[in-house]
Amino acid sequence: MPQNVMNAKARFRKKGGAGGPQPPQTVQLARTKVGPTPHQALWSAIRCSTEAISWKNYQPFIDDIMCRHLSTTSLTQREDPKDLRSRRGLPFPGVDSYLLLKVATEIFLMTRCGILTTFHEMNREERALYNECRQQIELSEEAERLGTRYHWIQLVRRWREYTRSASVNGVETLPYYALIRLKLKDIPIKTQDRDAAANCFGLLQEKLTHPCFLELIWSYWHEEGMLVQSSNAISMRFQNRRSGTGRDPLSELETDPLRPLNSLLWGYIQDEQHRLTVPRRVYEYDHHYGLTLHGKAVPSVQSADSRSKFLEAYHRLLNLCSTVFSQDDDTTVIADGFPLLNGLKEVHLLLTQGQHNQYGDLPWNARLEMLMQEWLLARPEMREFLPGRIMVAYPEPWMDRVDSMKKLQGWTDTSALHFRDLGIYGEQILLSIRFAPWNDVNDRNEAANWARYWRAEIQGYIHGYRAVTGVDLTLDRVDATPPSTHLRNRLAAQLRPA
């Protein structure tokens, strides 16, 4: 017998033979893996687009422009202020800084809102999209959401395949837009290459190839968080006007710290006639989501078309998501995506019934105005005028001023942080429902993957809603009471003497 075989047998007998000690074995239940689904590319694109117009990108963009203007006179040398006034329609002197802020904010949205859907080849456009997305979101986080490790160029290629699959007459677009295009196939597509007479009637190709991912619910939650009301209160105090009939809480605050912002605040006040009114926004909130506001400046809503069933369907969907998350965390259960798919179809149907106003100017203008208000409130001069709690680490500096204003005015004591989270998370969730053709989907894995991808945003929204209204959306009973009613009741309980 060979020596090596004999040595092996000897070692075997020394360890106890077949009945001897064995190395420990690890047994672990792992979650069942689900393969990639087509619409994941859309969700990555929505994250890229919404991050591109977020505060963390808006503030440095505006600071770079406005701080150079406020500290130098180079702007007046490059461009006559009369040209600015004629272009923006403000005939008032001394408002050049405000005009620049308004133009710069509009340019910010124009250049960053939306994402490209058409690629002529794997060239400059794809590389630009690749670089843009890479700056906005972390690849490791995106890979975890998708359940598969990707390289950024693979993600962009998936987006390219997604839009190419919905190509209509050679125009690459979203699958949802492709379905709408088939309904309107008798209407021509307007392009810049055709003559003016041919472009008199038709669908804008730019809308198909460069969709702008904006959702009005962002503005709704920021308004409920008292962003607009805080800006209005400061404008009243700057004009030496009393707000209300009783004692004005801001009357003891000196406006001297705001003196460096004179040009900005003066232009903001004089431009009031060109801003959206509260009733105009309220009617649009009701048209999109069946939501309203409560307050002295809010009229009794008598709308012609309201999404009265949206809130119930949306909250039921979030409740179903919490069930899927619990099943996912239990590795002995495979989550059932069919109830979730039906919920997505219902919410998508209600959203698209009010979709035609999504293409109008109101969501865009509301976002533009509120971004400007945030930037003004975030200025250091506002911190001197409205002292706050310095040691609270707000992710966006304007929140500090809003919370200080709430305390002075006796408004809701819920932090603006929760309202901001509801706006950001709600926008991403609803965009992913609005712009995917859910009524044409019959794959439960697509719905389950949707919930897994947006889990952080969904659970963040549920937490924010509970912090703001006191309602737990994970309970079996679906709450369809408008959040404004809950906020009004909580404020009344807050003001009620103990």
Side-chain angles (χ1 to χ4, degrees):
M1 183 179 296
Q3 185 65 32
N4 58 345
V5 175
M6 293 176 62
N7 292 339
K9 287 186 176 183
R11 287 195 301 270
F12 184 77
R13 285 193 298 268
K14 187 176 181 180
K15 291 183 178 180
Q22 301 294 321
Q25 300 293 325
T26 302
V27 178
Q28 182 177 359
L29 291 175
R31 182 178 300 165
T32 303
K33 291 187 177 180
V34 179
T37 47
H39 296 297
Q40 288 176 327
L42 172 64
W43 311 333
S44 298
I46 288 173
R47 284 194 70 212
C48 284
S49 178
T50 52
E51 287 294 327
I53 59 174
S54 64
W55 169 262
K56 70 177 183 180
N57 289 312
Y58 174 71
Q59 184 184 28
F61 178 88
I62 296 297
D63 282 349
D64 181 60
I65 296 173
M66 296 302 301
C67 291
R68 282 189 286 113
H69 168 67
L70 294 174
S71 61
T72 66
T73 59
S74 58
L75 176 73
T76 56
Q77 296 171 359
R78 290 196 304 266
E79 185 169 13
D80 190 337
K82 295 179 181 178
D83 297 334
L84 277 174
R85 288 198 293 273
S86 64
R87 187 166 70 244
R88 303 307 302 169
L90 280 179
F92 310 107
V95 295
D96 301 337
S97 296
Y98 172 76
L99 294 175
L100 180 61
L101 173 63
K102 191 172 185 179
V103 172
T105 303
E106 190 168 357
I107 292 174
F108 172 82
L109 287 177
M110 289 174 62
T111 56
R112 292 172 177 260
C113 180
I115 197 163
L116 191 66
T117 66
T118 180
F119 299 94
H120 300 294
E121 48 185 65
M122 172 76 178
N123 55 11
R124 182 176 54 190
E125 288 87 355
E126 193 169 40
R127 286 195 299 272
L129 182 62
Y130 162 73
N131 292 327
E132 178 68 21
C133 287
R134 188 170 57 176
Q135 294 174 9
Q136 305 305 329
I137 56 181
E138 292 290 336
L139 180 59
S140 57
E141 181 186 351
E142 193 67 13
E144 183 178 353
R145 287 170 176 258
L146 295 171
T148 306
R149 178 159 294 279
Y150 287 102
H151 190 267
W152 268 119
I153 203 68
Q154 293 174 300
L155 293 177
V156 175
R157 282 172 179 166
R158 289 193 70 191
W159 172 247
R160 183 180 184 182
E161 293 170 0
Y162 182 72
T163 56
R164 273 183 171 174
S165 66
S167 178
V168 179
N169 296 339
V171 177
E172 298 171 19
T173 186
L174 302 178
Y176 167 71
Y177 281 168
L179 292 176
I180 302 303
R181 171 61 181 152
L182 290 176
K183 292 177 59 178
L184 304 173
K185 58 185 177 182
D186 57 313
I187 300 179
I189 296 178
K190 297 169 61 175
T191 64
Q192 295 180 350
D193 299 333
R194 302 175 63 181
D195 57 74
N199 278 349
C200 189
F201 176 74
L203 299 175
L204 291 174
Q205 180 171 313
E206 178 70 12
K207 297 293 185 180
L208 296 175
T209 59
H210 196 265
C212 185
F213 293 134
L214 278 179
E215 193 68 42
L216 192 61
I217 200 169
W218 185 97
S219 300
Y220 171 79
W221 281 118
H222 280 72
E223 187 157 5
E224 285 283 26
M226 299 297 175
L227 168 65
V228 180
Q229 294 87 332
S230 297
S231 299
N232 291 342
I234 293 173
S235 298
M236 294 283 286
R237 179 65 185 91
F238 189 76
Q239 299 173 73
N240 196 32
R241 294 172 57 187
R242 180 188 299 273
S243 62
T245 55
R247 177 180 174 276
D248 188 354
L250 300 184
S251 60
E252 299 299 324
L253 300 182
E254 291 296 332
T255 59
D256 185 67
L258 301 180
R259 188 178 302 170
L261 301 180
N262 277 354
S263 177
L264 288 163
L265 293 177
W266 163 236
Y268 179 82
I269 292 169
Q270 293 302 118
D271 197 33
E272 182 178 3
Q273 58 187 320
H274 299 125
R275 286 197 297 273
L276 295 170
T277 62
V278 174
R280 182 69 185 89
R281 288 194 301 270
V282 169
Y283 275 100
E284 202 67 18
Y285 297 146
D286 186 54
H287 177 79
H288 277 258
Y289 318 113
L291 299 175
T292 187
L293 301 172
H294 287 299
K296 297 179 181 178
V298 180
S300 176
V301 177
Q302 298 177 348
S303 58
D305 186 16
S306 173
R307 304 277 83 72
S308 58
K309 296 181 180 180
F310 167 80
L311 196 62
E312 180 182 0
Y314 182 43
H315 286 179
R316 183 182 294 110
L317 174 64
L318 297 178
N319 183 270
L320 290 171
C321 288
S322 64
T323 302
V324 169
F325 299 151
S326 298
Q327 293 175 346
D328 256 357
D329 292 339
D330 184 354
T331 54
T332 64
V333 177
I334 299 177
D336 183 10
F338 269 121
L340 197 61
L341 178 60
N342 293 330
L344 285 165
K345 289 183 177 183
E346 181 66 20
V347 176
H348 171 76
L349 179 64
L350 291 169
L351 281 175
T352 52
Q353 285 176 353
Q355 180 103 338
H356 53 280
N357 275 25
Q358 180 76 7
Y359 301 106
D361 296 329
L362 194 141
W364 175 279
N365 285 335
R367 178 66 62 91
L368 185 147
E369 293 172 6
M370 292 186 186
L371 283 175
M372 293 168 57
Q373 290 166 355
E374 288 180 353
W375 187 83
L376 287 171
L377 288 172
R379 290 289 302 170
E381 294 86 351
M382 288 291 180
R383 184 187 63 232
E384 300 301 319
F385 176 70
L386 280 176
R389 293 182 171 93
I390 301 299
M391 298 309 295
V392 179
Y394 290 97
E396 299 174 10
W398 60 268
M399 300 177 190
D400 199 347
R401 320 320 182 231
V402 172
D403 281 352
S404 297
M405 181 65 73
K406 287 182 179 182
K407 189 174 181 62
L408 285 172
Q409 300 284 359
W411 296 338
T412 173
D413 56 2
T414 305
S415 174
L417 172 65
H418 298 299
F419 292 93
R420 171 259 192 186
D421 289 345
L422 287 170
I424 292 176
Y425 298 150
E427 177 176 57
Q428 293 178 324
I429 294 168
L430 292 187
L431 284 172
S432 67
I433 302 173
R434 182 188 295 275
F435 287 103
W438 288 108
N439 291 332
D440 198 38
V441 176
N442 199 32
D443 182 2
R444 65 179 182 177
N445 290 332
E446 190 77 70
N449 278 346
W450 173 84
R452 295 183 185 111
Y453 185 92
W454 297 108
R455 178 167 182 168
E457 287 74 19
I458 292 171
Q459 291 187 320
Y461 189 95
I462 291 173
H463 169 72
Y465 198 85
R466 182 169 58 246
V468 165
T469 65
V471 175
D472 189 351
L473 298 178
T474 64
L475 300 179
D476 293 337
R477 180 182 174 275
V478 176
D479 183 90
T481 306
S484 57
T485 302
H486 289 302
L487 289 169
R488 181 179 57 183
N489 295 338
R490 296 193 86 185
L491 179 59
Q494 172 187 324
L495 300 177
R496 192 180 301 126

